[in-house]
């Protein structure tokens, strides 16, 4: 079997991306069976000083990573942190890297899901970077079903067959029988019923102030969060330095560290590489799982 090659575009070169990549590769904490192809560097850029040229470089390295994947030269992509406002100021037409990869791989953005993984807690989100008002208005049973199924399939790849998935409610106390909103009855309950018809091991909607504690305690393998911060606040409390961002629904494997560019830390040799290490290790696990699944299909 060919050696796994992980492509690593370093992100905005004025941020901590290049530093955490260097530290990760020097850590001896990465799988020896893999090779690592770094795309980009911080040479010629000033640490902590983002600019149009640093944002443009980050975009070019993203484009290069996709081309390498399409040519089969890399098997997964682990992205360094980018500065979204800086990218958009240079004409980058996407809210984030998730939407960029969806478009470049011919995948509808609405069929992708932002998720976060840590051994103690896995979360998928019904919405990404948008206002809370827009996030609530965009909740549909179809999105709940997609998020739950992609999260369950992802966890199954990591050795959790038929994982128990909790659906977090939107409203306090899961609306208390309709006292605090109608979304649970109109949107969440039909989605859960459909998922169970399809044989999925799902539960909910469960009050958001208790469901994450239950998941961390082992009752659930993962949680579908109703919106970005509902899922990210508990996740970062558990895994601030070691969590991994995973885009589900793409035809390629894409992970990233769960932190931003941290321009205030750039160039000071203080950046923590643990999230980057975890992102690379997870990408390698997913490639191995993908290959095992392909081998099983071909042997039948």
């Amino acid at each position: 079997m060919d050696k796994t090659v992980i492509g690593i575009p370093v992100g905005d070169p004025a941020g901590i991306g290049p530093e955490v990549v260097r530290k990760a590769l020097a850590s001896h904490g990465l799988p020896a069976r893999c090779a690592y192809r770094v795309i980009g560097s911080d040479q010629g850029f000033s640490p902590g000083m983002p600019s149009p040229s640093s944002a443009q470089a980050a975009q070019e390295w993203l484009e290069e990573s996709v081309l390498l994947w399409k040519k089969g030269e890399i098997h997964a992509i682990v992205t360094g942190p980018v500065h979204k406002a800086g990218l958009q100021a240079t004409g980058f037409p996407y809210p984030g890297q998730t939407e960029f990869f969806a478009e470049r791989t011919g995948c509808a953005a609405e069929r992708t899901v932002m998720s976060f993984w840590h051994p103690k807690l896995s979360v998928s989100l019904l919405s990404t970077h948008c206002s809370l008002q827009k996030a609530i208005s965009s909740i549909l049973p179809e999105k709940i079903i997609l998020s739950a199924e992609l999260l369950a399939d992802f966890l199954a790849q990591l050795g959790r067959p038929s994982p128990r998935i909790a659906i977090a409610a939107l409203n306090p106390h899961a609306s208390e029988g309709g006292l605090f909103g109608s979304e649970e009855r109109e949107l969440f309950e039909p989605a859960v019923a459909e998922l169970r018809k399809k044989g999925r091991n799902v539960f909910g909607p469960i009050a958001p102030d208790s469901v994450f504690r239950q998941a961390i305690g082992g009752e659930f393998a993962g949680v579908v969060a109703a919106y970005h911060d509902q899922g990210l606040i508990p996740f970062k409390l558990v895994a601030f330095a070691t969590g991994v961002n995973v885009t589900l629904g793409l035809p390629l494997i894409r992970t990233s560290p769960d932190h931003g560019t941290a321009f205030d830390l750039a160039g000071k040799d203080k950046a923590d590489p643990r999230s980057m290490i975890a992102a690379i290790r997870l990408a390698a696990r997913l490639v191995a799982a993908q290959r095992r699944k392909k081998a099983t299909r071909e042997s039948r």
Side-chain angles (χ1 to χ4, degrees):
M1 185 175 290
D2 293 339
K3 192 167 191 175
T4 297
V5 182
I6 308 293
I8 312 174
V10 300
D12 193 306
I16 63 171
E19 179 183 331
V20 295
V21 170
R22 285 195 298 269
K23 287 180 174 178
L25 294 177
S27 69
H28 305 294
L30 303 182
R33 67 181 183 276
C34 297
Y36 305 99
R37 184 160 177 173
V38 178
I39 305 164
S41 75
D42 54 3
Q43 291 190 0
F45 298 93
S46 300
M49 298 182 66
S51 64
S53 62
S54 71
Q56 185 63 41
Q59 182 176 348
E60 291 172 0
W61 297 333
L62 287 175
E63 298 280 10
E64 183 179 350
S65 70
V66 173
L67 289 175
L68 291 171
W69 174 78
K70 288 181 175 179
K71 291 191 293 184
E73 295 185 26
I74 60 176
H75 304 104
I77 299 174
V78 180
T79 55
V82 297
H83 186 223
K84 295 179 180 63
L87 279 175
Q88 291 173 9
T90 65
F92 190 73
Y94 310 101
Q97 296 182 92
T98 299
E99 295 80 6
F100 164 82
F101 282 111
E103 197 277 335
R104 289 296 186 270
T105 58
C107 178
E110 61 269 19
R111 300 298 299 173
T112 65
V113 170
M114 181 183 287
S115 70
F116 294 83
W117 177 85
H118 183 271
K120 291 184 178 179
L121 179 64
S122 293
V123 177
S124 67
L125 311 178
L126 296 184
S127 57
T128 56
H129 302 112
C130 62
S131 70
L132 182 56
Q133 184 178 48
K134 183 177 180 180
I136 293 171
S137 67
S138 67
I139 295 174
L140 295 170
E142 293 81 6
K143 187 67 173 183
I144 298 168
I145 292 168
L146 176 70
S147 297
E149 291 195 308
L150 288 178
L151 181 59
D153 292 344
F154 162 69
L155 291 170
Q157 284 184 288
L158 298 179
R160 302 285 295 270
S162 190
R164 291 167 56 89
I165 303 296
I167 311 297
L170 171 66
N171 296 302
H173 299 230
S175 83
E176 197 81 46
L179 289 176
F180 310 130
S182 60
E183 289 86 357
E184 279 69 25
R185 181 181 68 253
E186 296 173 356
L187 303 172
F188 287 80
E189 291 175 10
V192 170
E194 180 62 24
L195 284 161
R196 288 177 176 165
K197 282 182 184 177
K198 297 171 79 170
R200 298 293 188 170
N201 201 12
V202 299
F203 303 84
I206 300 174
D209 63 353
S210 61
V211 67
F212 296 99
R213 178 190 59 78
Q214 291 172 282
I216 293 167
E219 189 171 343
F220 303 112
V223 180
V224 175
Y227 54 90
H228 183 277
D229 282 12
Q230 186 193 68
L232 267 291
I233 290 171
F235 184 81
K236 290 195 175 186
L237 282 171
V238 170
F240 184 78
T242 53
V244 180
N245 182 344
V246 190
T247 305
L248 304 180
L250 291 174
L252 61 77
I253 293 168
R254 180 254 169 162
T255 68
S256 70
D258 181 25
H259 61 68
T261 50
F263 293 122
D264 58 320
L265 290 179
K268 298 178 181 178
D269 196 32
K270 294 181 178 180
D272 188 337
R274 286 180 293 169
S275 188
M276 176 59 77
I277 292 169
I280 296 171
R281 291 175 64 87
L282 180 59
R285 286 182 67 185
L286 292 172
V287 172
Q290 189 179 73
R291 287 177 167 174
R292 285 195 298 272
K293 184 176 181 181
K294 181 180 178 182
T296 299
R297 286 199 308 266
E298 292 175 349
S299 66
R300 289 175 180 171

